[in-house]
Amino acid sequence: MLIKALCDYYDILAEKGDVLAEGYSQVKIHYLVALTEDGKISEIIDYQKKETVSGAKGKVKEKLVPREETMPQRTEKPGIDANIIEHRPLYLFGLNYEKDGLSAEDRTNKAKKSHEAFVEKNLTFLEGIDTPLVNAYRAFIQNWKPEEEAENLKLLEKGKAYSSAGYAFCLWNDSTRLLHEEPLVKERWEKLFHSRGQEGKGLIGQCAITGEEGEIARIHGKIKGVFGGLATGSVLIGFNNPSENSYGNEQSYNSSISQRAMQKYTEALNKLLADKKHKALLDDVTVVFWAMDGKETCEDLLSALLFDSSEKLDGEKTEKLLESLMKGAAEGAVTAERLAAIDEIDPDVDFYMVGLKPNTSRLAVKFLYRRKFGDILLHIAMHQRDLQMGEELRTLPLWAIKKELISPKSKNETVNPDLLSKLLESILYGSPYPFALLETVVRRAKIDKDMDRNRVRAGILKAYINRECRKNGKKEEFQVALDRENRNEAYLCGRLFAILERLQQDASGNSLNRTIKDAYFASAAATPAVVFPKLLKLAENHFGKTKHEIFYRKQIGEVAELMPCEFPNTLSLVEQGKFMLGYYQQHQSYFAKKDEQTEEAQVYGD
């Protein structure tokens, strides 16, 4: 499904002229090598551009990134194989970068062999082309001696960046005209490329993607831009071991994907990965997404609502849109009228989302989802609605949820990738959240003891429990604020714990560094019958030290009236989540806005 979808997406982009023509590749260029007429290096110009990027927490910063240039198709063969109009420093200059500087020598003579292959291939290709820039380039190739250039200051000043950078060529007095853009160079290349296509073909067979007869791809193009992947790229489809071969086929002949289909899907996927509008990072998984209409409105909207990419949409517009969508989520549908407010959105367009992670030289597909975009919008709106913990609308991006699943003190703790994948799936399909999400949040709340102020964890607990209720055909159990009518035992125990803690703080003049929360929170959430008798006895010592004794006794009495005769002996993991919700909402009631005139807020304000 993935390969077919990418091929179809390529066709959509091709109709718009948004993909490369056959025979060309996108190449990242960091520097321009400015040549004199006799082929000597005049200077090496920094060709990078400034780009504004958003960090994980929305922080904006600028960084230098290479420019992308369209060059004759790059080689995919392993080993030494030069390109026409080369960009790699090892081939161009025949020098390795070492700690002590540049060197033309290495154990395998790879630098020497690479440069020799470059010289031979490019001199042959350029034969008969006569332009000032081509003549300067030809003179550079003929006169450059790697063994004599190890002390070249123009290369040395690039330091470590020398080895990983891409280079293009221009004349010293005109940096706007680049070698690979020369009309005669492009004309010669296109003739050469198409003549190669007329030569003897390899294995001919039926393509598993298109169903057409054609040349089967022996080696698939490399995919670049995946987080943690090789700088040179990794293949999505590859067969390296004899045990993977079938019917005597070798390498990617086993996949039965034609050369044309291979070029389509690799070009489409590389284009998506090169555009930050079409990808996001979910822990160490690169998430790529696209709508099958070739537009970017759907991608921008999804990024803003799910990954918190504030640069994609206007903040005020996003908030109003989400508010409208959440009303639709409550009604169980995202109507055409609501979507009409969004330019160029088609709710029936197919939307794909795929998670990629590098695995040695190949890419592993961690998940692949396909849904109608209208359904995705509805389910994201439901997800954000479920997470709300207050009247003020706040969207929670996935990175904020992930942050609450690890210790705030840890610098290297990671979240199980399967949990994040299942969480994303539950959001897109509107299904119950994974049980591991509840388990992780409850465990972290016990350890970190920040449940009194952690709105995100409270929202996750509320969302999990309410979704389980809907799954079982029951009414949602929890609201966005304190529910004084809720009779759930665990919820009431949580409320009572918050009241007793507030009483303790009030009795001490709010001077305590350690409260009952630090000593009893985890055990009270798990075994209320063991802990609460102790806490109630301790509370008797606090009543005489507070001027609000009547208020606290009244609050305890209100909770006690709703509870059964005895505290529950143990609470299940789900019930512990309800305990923590009751604690959070009761605690937050003491900090309500003055205009809400809650009794808790008035007393605490005293």
Side-chain angles (χ1 to χ4, degrees):
M1 182 172 75
L2 174 60
I3 305 300
K4 179 66 166 62
L6 288 169
C7 287
D8 291 343
Y9 187 65
Y10 176 94
D11 291 337
I12 292 171
L13 295 179
E15 288 182 9
K16 298 172 58 183
D18 288 345
V19 288
L20 290 172
E22 280 191 282
Y24 289 93
S25 297
Q26 286 290 103
V27 182
K28 295 184 185 296
I29 300 299
H30 300 72
Y31 301 106
L32 298 182
V33 181
L35 299 175
T36 61
E37 287 78 358
D38 57 357
K40 294 182 180 179
I41 298 177
S42 172
E43 62 176 321
I44 296 180
I45 304 168
D46 193 333
Y47 194 54
Q48 299 175 97
K49 61 182 179 179
K50 286 185 178 180
E51 188 175 88
T52 301
V53 296
S54 295
K57 298 182 180 179
K59 293 182 179 179
V60 177
K61 59 181 181 180
E62 282 190 345
K63 69 174 184 177
L64 288 174
V65 297
R67 298 177 188 267
E68 291 201 342
E69 292 290 331
T70 303
M71 288 188 166
Q73 194 171 73
R74 305 290 90 177
T75 179
E76 296 288 351
K77 295 179 182 179
I80 296 173
D81 189 18
N83 293 309
I84 298 298
I85 313 300
E86 188 57 75
H87 72 286
R88 294 171 291 181
L90 193 67
Y91 285 82
L92 288 170
F93 307 113
L95 296 168
N96 290 302
Y97 180 81
E98 300 175 348
K99 291 182 179 179
D100 299 328
L102 298 170
S103 173
E105 298 179 359
D106 56 45
R107 183 173 56 84
T108 60
N109 283 327
K110 184 177 180 181
K112 180 181 178 182
K113 293 175 183 176
S114 298
H115 183 69
E116 289 175 349
F118 156 70
V119 170
E120 180 182 356
K121 194 167 193 175
N122 280 264
L123 285 179
T124 302
F125 172 79
L126 295 171
E127 187 175 349
I129 300 179
D130 183 14
T131 70
L133 181 49
V134 169
N135 290 336
Y137 184 63
R138 184 187 292 110
F140 165 77
I141 295 174
Q142 292 171 333
N143 298 329
W144 182 267
K145 307 296 182 187
E147 62 275 7
E148 298 175 5
E149 300 290 344
E151 300 298 325
N152 189 297
L153 295 179
K154 295 181 177 64
L155 296 179
L156 284 171
E157 68 180 8
K158 302 306 172 192
K160 293 181 180 179
Y162 159 82
S163 299
S164 57
Y167 299 79
F169 287 80
C170 65
L171 282 175
W172 67 276
N173 56 357
D174 187 1
S175 61
T176 62
R177 187 167 183 173
L178 306 182
L179 176 68
H180 56 273
E181 295 175 343
E182 290 278 85
L184 291 177
V185 171
K186 294 175 72 173
E187 182 183 341
R188 173 71 60 85
W189 164 249
E190 288 171 8
K191 286 182 180 178
L192 176 62
F193 177 78
H194 290 298
S195 67
R196 288 175 177 174
Q198 304 304 317
E199 297 173 359
K201 296 180 180 292
L203 178 66
I204 303 298
Q206 185 180 36
C207 177
I209 303 301
T210 64
E212 300 173 352
E213 291 284 329
E215 181 184 2
I216 303 301
R218 184 177 71 88
I219 299 175
H220 284 225
K222 292 187 176 180
I223 308 300
K224 299 179 181 179
V226 176
F227 175 76
L230 299 173
T232 55
S234 305
V235 295
L236 187 61
I237 297 174
F239 300 80
N240 297 331
N241 303 314
S243 60
E244 298 166 345
N245 295 339
S246 177
Y247 295 99
N249 292 328
E250 294 182 353
Q251 294 185 319
S252 292
Y253 284 148
N254 289 279
S255 67
S256 293
I257 295 177
S258 68
Q259 188 74 18
R260 182 64 182 136
M262 182 275 291
Q263 291 171 348
K264 281 186 175 183
Y265 92 76
T266 53
E267 174 65 25
L269 187 51
N270 276 318
K271 182 172 179 59
L272 288 168
L273 284 164
D275 187 351
K276 61 182 180 180
K277 286 189 174 185
H278 289 273
K279 71 175 181 179
L281 195 60
L282 186 60
D283 204 28
D284 58 351
V285 175
T286 301
V287 183
V288 187
F289 41 88
W290 69 94
M292 294 298 285
D293 58 4
K295 301 174 183 178
E296 294 184 338
T297 314
C298 294
E299 290 86 339
D300 290 349
L301 183 56
L302 180 128
S303 295
L305 298 182
L306 198 57
F307 297 109
D308 193 32
S309 298
S310 55
E311 63 200 45
K312 309 290 176 64
L313 288 177
D314 175 73
E316 184 177 349
K317 180 180 177 181
T318 303
E319 185 174 329
K320 289 181 179 179
L321 171 63
L322 183 59
E323 187 175 354
S324 174
L325 291 176
M326 286 171 67
K327 290 180 181 177
E331 298 165 6
V334 176
T335 63
E337 290 75 15
R338 286 194 171 96
L339 289 173
I342 315 171
D343 296 335
E344 302 178 355
I345 284 289
D346 178 7
D348 292 324
V349 68
D350 284 330
F351 195 88
Y352 287 83
M353 186 172 288
V354 59
L356 299 174
K357 187 176 180 181
N359 180 14
T360 315
S361 62
R362 283 190 291 264
L363 295 177
V365 178
K366 304 303 291 184
F367 55 80
L368 173 61
Y369 306 125
R370 182 185 69 180
R371 299 282 290 173
K372 297 295 184 185
F373 191 66
D375 293 337
I376 289 178
L377 275 183
L378 169 64
H379 293 143
I380 291 178
M382 291 175 62
H383 163 71
Q384 294 291 357
R385 174 178 169 269
D386 286 342
L387 289 170
Q388 294 305 303
M389 287 301 296
E391 298 302 328
E392 181 185 355
L393 179 64
R394 293 186 187 178
T395 58
L396 279 179
L398 282 172
W399 67 259
I401 296 176
K402 178 204 158 197
K403 179 183 174 183
E404 298 304 329
L405 304 181
I406 59 178
S407 170
K409 299 178 182 179
S410 174
K411 294 183 179 179
N412 53 15
E413 185 179 354
T414 59
V415 180
N416 188 328
D418 289 338
L419 170 56
L420 293 175
S421 297
K422 290 176 181 176
L423 172 60
L424 181 59
E425 181 179 0
S426 67
I427 294 171
L428 298 181
Y429 286 81
S431 56
Y433 295 112
F435 183 75
L437 179 66
L438 172 72
E439 184 180 36
T440 305
V441 172
V442 169
R443 174 168 50 84
R444 287 258 51 97
K446 287 180 178 180
I447 296 172
D448 299 334
K449 298 183 177 64
D450 63 348
M451 205 57 223
D452 54 338
R453 60 188 180 279
N454 198 314
R455 177 175 178 150
V456 178
R457 285 182 181 167
I460 296 172
L461 293 173
K462 168 179 164 285
Y464 181 92
I465 296 167
N466 280 348
R467 282 210 178 194
E468 286 295 317
C469 291
R470 292 202 299 268
K471 171 189 172 184
N472 297 319
K474 298 179 182 178
K475 182 181 178 181
E476 291 183 355
E477 192 168 350
F478 296 102
Q479 303 173 8
V480 296
L482 181 64
D483 183 3
R484 300 179 188 279
E485 304 300 322
N486 194 314
R487 291 179 172 270
N488 179 269
E489 291 180 330
Y491 184 79
L492 291 170
C493 285
R495 285 188 60 192
L496 180 57
F497 192 94
I499 295 169
L500 295 176
E501 183 193 18
R502 184 66 250 151
L503 168 61
Q504 183 189 29
Q505 283 278 31
D506 196 356
S508 68
N510 295 307
S511 61
L512 293 178
N513 293 324
R514 182 178 173 83
T515 67
I516 58 172
K517 177 185 68 175
D518 301 289
Y520 296 104
F521 184 78
S523 55
T527 55
V530 175
V531 177
F532 273 97
K534 298 178 184 178
L535 298 180
L536 291 172
K537 184 177 180 181
L538 183 64
E540 292 299 325
N541 298 324
H542 299 146
F543 282 126
K545 300 177 183 180
T546 175
K547 60 181 179 179
H548 303 119
E549 178 180 354
I550 296 176
F551 165 75
Y552 288 114
R553 286 192 182 277
K554 178 183 175 183
Q555 283 210 315
I556 293 173
E558 287 177 354
V559 173
E561 283 183 10
L562 299 174
M563 288 188 68
C565 297
E566 298 180 352
F567 289 104
N569 290 321
T570 58
L571 296 179
S572 66
L573 206 61
V574 174
E575 294 298 310
Q576 289 180 46
K578 296 177 182 180
F579 173 97
M580 293 172 182
L581 263 178
Y583 170 75
Y584 172 83
Q585 292 185 335
Q586 181 67 50
H587 186 275
Q588 288 300 308
S589 69
Y590 295 112
F591 300 91
K593 296 178 181 179
K594 290 184 179 180
D595 57 3
E596 294 180 8
Q597 294 298 308
T598 61
E599 187 177 5
E600 290 95 328
Q602 293 177 43
V603 170
Y604 185 62
D606 293 342

